[in-house]
Amino acid sequence: MCDEIDQAKTSSSEYTTDEEWEEQQRKTRADWEKERGNQFFKDNMLNEAINCYTSAIQLDPMNAVYPANRAMCLLKQEKYAAAEVDCTASIQLDAKYTKAYHRRANARFKLGKFEQAKQDYEMVLKLEPNSKLAQSELNKLEQLVESRNLVFPIVKRDEDKSTKPLKRILIEEINDQSVEKQEVKKNLEEINQKIVLTAKDQSLFNVEKKEEENKVVEKIEKIQLEEKNELKIESKTIPNAPSNGYQFKKDWQFLNNNMEQLAIYFQKIKPEEYPKLFLNGLESDQLSKILLIFSQYFIKDSNINLFDCLKYLSQVKRFNTQLMFLTTADKTAINNLLSHIECQKEKYDKNELDKLIKAYNV
């Protein structure tokens, strides 16, 4: 099954305007998210890989590799309908992308769409005539269809076709592809909204028959109720300050969906411990949430030393790399925090304060 994940790299380009620079930054970050996703995929951490590929799609929605890579993860999770949609989106972006056709063929085969799967395998062979894997899978499909006494739709011969005259239809050609691209972007946004990156929904994408629609609704309502209950975490269940990076990672995942509880937990950690707890370095989503915690929760508590919080956060591995990908909200949070500290600058050494400001490069 076409298990390899694509390693295509985005190329850098010259830019002369802010818009071009921002676009290049988005593409750079998208490629970085793809590389993270590839590593998660190799480690069989499929939900984490899907998260990364989804981020890459949002940053660079015109890249056909990202939805195709996410489709590979969905195939392994047996979410064949969602994988088919992702592959279709990838093909709309690149009509000659062989792997997207191959993965869609696998998804359609699992969904029982044998004729469409056959067409995709044939397209793979058209693009790569020497593909032994595609030829083998096509042969298996045809043997399966034959063994089940199934038939593909018959193509009519010329003498059997209708003799009624054809109608002439005027077609207006549009050179600009922006309409098609906008449609692709819209489809991708709908996909992102439909994909729930938790273990609870793994059966939802497999539901194809109309008689099962009521079951789907019931499952969705059950999941929503469970998620609401999960958010009602009592303060006594918030873990104590972690003693190592492994425990911190586990606690972060446990509290990740509740900012208030995450803020209470993070307050228990001494700032000087920050560099020790991020074993693999700081991730972009973690930095955004920590800045949000500092600017919305810590800033209100006069007992919290925001200077030390920002200082030791800047010493975490890969902090400087993440600064390249700050969102507007992240920059606003940093500016608010630094302004708050500068209002109390008499408390701090001037050189240390200047060093902190320089570290955040805002």
Side-chain angles (χ1 to χ4, degrees), residues 224-325:
Q224 291 175 338
L225 180 61
E226 290 176 355
E227 288 177 344
K228 288 181 180 179
N229 292 334
E230 286 176 357
L231 292 177
K232 297 178 181 179
I233 304 173
E234 298 180 4
S235 297
K236 65 180 181 181
T237 65
I238 298 177
N240 293 322
S243 58
N244 54 63
Y246 175 78
Q247 183 183 343
F248 172 73
K249 182 179 180 180
K250 184 178 179 181
D251 294 343
W252 181 280
Q253 292 175 343
F254 174 64
L255 300 169
N256 192 35
N257 293 326
N258 190 311
M259 286 300 297
E260 184 175 354
Q261 301 294 337
L262 191 60
I264 295 173
Y265 169 73
F266 210 73
Q267 187 176 347
K268 296 181 178 182
I269 304 173
K270 296 179 180 179
E272 56 266 28
E273 298 293 322
Y274 295 168
K276 304 176 185 177
L277 298 179
F278 292 88
L279 298 177
N280 298 320
L282 194 63
E283 304 291 353
S284 57
D285 58 331
Q286 288 179 321
L287 178 59
S288 294
K289 287 192 175 183
I290 292 172
L291 291 174
L292 187 64
I293 289 172
F294 288 174
S295 62
Q296 290 193 3
Y297 297 95
F298 284 20
I299 202 170
K300 299 175 183 178
D301 192 338
S302 58
N303 294 321
I304 296 177
N305 190 332
L306 277 176
F307 182 91
D308 282 351
C309 291
L310 292 175
K311 173 184 175 182
Y312 288 104
L313 181 63
S314 69
Q315 296 176 10
V316 174
K317 186 167 64 173
R318 288 194 5 204
F319 172 81
N320 290 330
T321 300
Q322 299 306 333
L323 283 184
M324 296 171 58
F325 308 121

Side-chain angles (χ1 to χ4, degrees), residues 59-119:
L59 289 163
D60 187 6
M62 292 298 103
N63 192 312
V65 171
Y66 305 148
N69 278 13
R70 186 169 68 179
M72 189 67 252
C73 298
L74 294 170
L75 283 171
K76 283 188 170 291
Q77 290 185 333
E78 299 183 0
K79 298 177 181 178
Y80 304 119
E84 180 189 18
V85 174
D86 261 355
C87 289
T88 300
S90 179
I91 291 168
Q92 287 178 310
L93 293 168
D94 185 353
K96 295 183 178 181
Y97 191 17
T98 309
K99 290 180 181 178
Y101 285 108
H102 201 158
R103 291 166 191 173
R104 189 171 69 174
N106 292 332
R108 287 175 167 176
F109 177 82
K110 292 293 186 178
L111 292 170
K113 299 179 179 180
F114 299 129
E115 169 59 16
Q116 291 173 299
K118 178 176 179 286
Q119 292 173 358

Side-chain angles (χ1 to χ4, degrees), residues 199-237:
K200 304 169 191 172
D201 71 328
Q202 292 187 2
S203 63
L204 295 184
F205 285 117
N206 297 328
V207 179
E208 290 291 315
K209 299 179 181 179
K210 292 183 179 180
E211 58 266 23
E212 296 182 358
E213 288 181 354
N214 290 335
K215 295 181 181 179
V216 177
V217 173
E218 292 176 1
K219 288 180 181 180
I220 292 175
E221 291 176 347
K222 182 179 178 181
I223 289 172
Q224 291 175 338
L225 180 61
E226 290 176 355
E227 288 177 344
K228 288 181 180 179
N229 292 334
E230 286 176 357
L231 292 177
K232 297 178 181 179
I233 304 173
E234 298 180 4
S235 297
K236 65 180 181 181
T237 65

